[in-house]
Amino acid sequence: AKAAGRGVHRFYSADMLAGARDRQQLEGDLRAALPAGEFNLCYQPVVRTVDAVVIGYEALIRWRHPVRGLVSPADFIPVAEECGLIGAIGEWVLRTACNEAARWPRDVRVAVNVSPVQFANPQLPGIVASALARSGLAPDRLELEITEGVFLKGSDSSDRMFAALKGLGVRLALDDFGTGYSSLGYLRTAPFDKIKIDQSFVRGAAQPGNRNAAIIRAIVMLADTLGMETTAEGVEIQDEIELVRSLGCSHIQGYVYGRPAPAAEVAAALGIDGRA
Ligand code: C2E
Ligand code: CA
Ligand code: CA
Ligand code: CA
């Protein structure tokens, strides 16, 4: 069970996904996965740069296919978004993450990824409110991670969604910053508490002459000015810790501090009983 959260196999290759029959099979398997209990969440620590204290965990979904083994979310989340399953899967993720995090110490947060498809659903604030109420998790312990993809849709509805979510008292993070449609305009009004700097900027940044460091520095300055925190993602080595610390990132996430691990392991690390 210990290995469950670790290696994720990309069994469905790009070639396979291109084939209509395999794609249909994947959709069918995905439809069955939720009722069959094939999903679970792993949690990766997020550390405060100044003192390396774990201030929270990001919930990351895992699918254990009965035949194919672990399937990467990078492979099945896009399919779930296209075939209308992301709503049910996303709701399960929210409920499960809130329930599990409610047992953690009060100063430990949980971050949950929210697909742009979920974000476009006017029922999302109600779903979040219900997950909080049922679990008893304080709203400010829940952080929703949203990608730039949400800004593709009309900005009027996204403004209303941001206001409704902030009205619940949850925190909002802008995920994978710099990789998407990167218009800076939305930073003017969208009420983010945090910018997550994508791991593609961290990769290689500690090597001399690498331009990624300059980009990270600029993102941190922008975030600081706007009163937002910054998490450097995908930090793998000590040199990268030191670099992003010197560039002023307030938080660090990556294999160097911990890989995604099942809830029971996180509970043990937090010194509590993993069982409810
Ligand atoms: P993400 O939100 O950017 O999550 C971070 C990904 O980077 C995770 O991959 C994590 O395991 C990986 N990672 C963390 N630290 C390191 C590191 O130091 N080095 C490297 N090379 N990788 C690192 P994972 O778990 O395979 O998830 C992939 C993506 O799938 C996520 O990217 C997110 O976009 C999506 N995803 C995962 N869980 C959910 C979910 O519950 N809901 C939705 N909508 N999307 C999810
Ligand atoms: Ca994320
Ligand atoms: Ca990310
Ligand atoms: Ca990503």
Side-chain angles (χ1 to χ4, degrees), residues 216-264:
I216 296 174
R217 179 182 285 113
I219 295 173
V220 170
M221 284 178 62
L222 180 65
D224 281 353
T225 307
L226 296 170
M228 298 172 189
E229 299 174 344
T230 42
T231 298
E233 294 194 273
V235 174
E236 293 183 349
I237 56 175
Q238 188 65 34
D239 282 358
E240 290 167 353
I241 295 181
E242 268 138 42
L243 178 82
V244 302
R245 181 190 290 139
S246 75
L247 295 175
C249 290
S250 61
H251 296 84
I252 296 176
Q253 184 177 351
Y255 294 167
V256 73
Y257 283 120
R259 293 190 177 235

Side-chain angles (χ1 to χ4, degrees), residues 68-155:
R68 300 173 180 215
L70 278 174
V71 183
S72 168
D75 288 334
F76 73 81
I77 292 290
V79 177
E81 287 173 340
E82 281 166 37
C83 68
L85 287 169
I86 193 66
I89 294 172
E91 187 167 345
W92 177 87
V93 170
L94 268 166
R95 288 193 189 291
T96 305
C98 288
N99 289 340
E100 290 178 339
R103 300 184 213 134
W104 301 347
R106 272 183 226 289
D107 54 354
V108 180
R109 288 184 200 133
V110 68
V112 172
N113 291 285
V114 173
S115 153
V117 177
Q118 292 173 270
F119 194 85
N121 177 0
Q123 290 174 35
L124 179 64
I127 292 167
V128 173
S130 145
L132 289 168
R134 286 213 217 169
S135 64
L137 187 77
D140 62 354
R141 293 179 61 197
L142 176 64
E143 185 166 84
L144 302 178
E145 297 195 0
I146 294 150
T147 61
E148 293 163 310
V150 302
F151 299 103
L152 277 183
K153 307 261 161 91
S155 67

